[in-house]
Amino acid sequence: MAKRVMTVDDSRTMREMVTFTLRKAGFDVSEAEDGQQALDVLKTAPVDVLITDLNMPRMDGVTLIRALRGDPKWRSVPILMLTTESDANKKAEGKSAGATGWLVKPFDPQKLIDVVKRVAG
């Protein structure tokens, strides 16, 4: 059975690129346009890996990670940040919130696939 991945990004183009890349590699991919929508969808459709942007309306990526990490069933699910931010302070904030890894946009499709495969187990 294919591993389930959710990509969370307010950019439809970015979500489509991530979805296309991961589906081509055999993953089952769902999408959300911000952290709040992701939380709503995840209540009924859990995933094996979550990929989130940092800067989004309604709920940003760090707030989403903190919300998920506060729930015992999400403590061990890998969460990757995929963002244009490369600032060390932002990375530290993401890591302290509970991010598993950090990828910078624009992303290399093969690197994204490799990282998702590695963290998905």
Side-chain angles (χ1 to χ4, degrees), residues 45-110:
V47 296
D48 299 299
V49 178
L50 185 88
I51 302 169
T52 184
D53 187 18
L54 177 61
N55 301 309
M56 298 178 287
R58 290 204 310 161
M59 182 184 290
D60 67 28
V62 170
T63 305
L64 171 61
I65 293 170
R66 286 191 179 118
L68 290 172
R69 292 301 190 220
D71 182 335
K73 72 179 177 188
W74 288 100
R75 291 224 174 99
S76 63
V77 175
I79 302 175
L80 301 172
M81 305 246 10
L82 177 61
T83 178
T84 55
E85 295 281 351
S86 58
D87 179 72
N89 292 333
K90 294 283 187 186
K91 284 185 184 179
E93 185 181 11
K95 190 169 179 70
S96 74
T100 308
W102 190 283
L103 298 162
V104 177
K105 296 175 191 172
F107 67 93
D108 173 271
Q110 191 57 54

Side-chain angles (χ1 to χ4, degrees), residues 3-5 21-27 48-49 51 78 80 103 109-121:
K3 293 283 186 177
R4 293 180 314 271
V5 180
T21 299
L22 294 176
R23 281 190 179 149
K24 208 167 77 171
F27 292 96
D48 299 299
V49 178
I51 302 169
L80 301 172
L103 298 162
Q110 191 57 54
K111 182 176 181 183
L112 177 66
I113 292 166
D114 292 346
V115 169
V116 172
K117 281 182 178 175
R118 188 170 65 243
V119 299

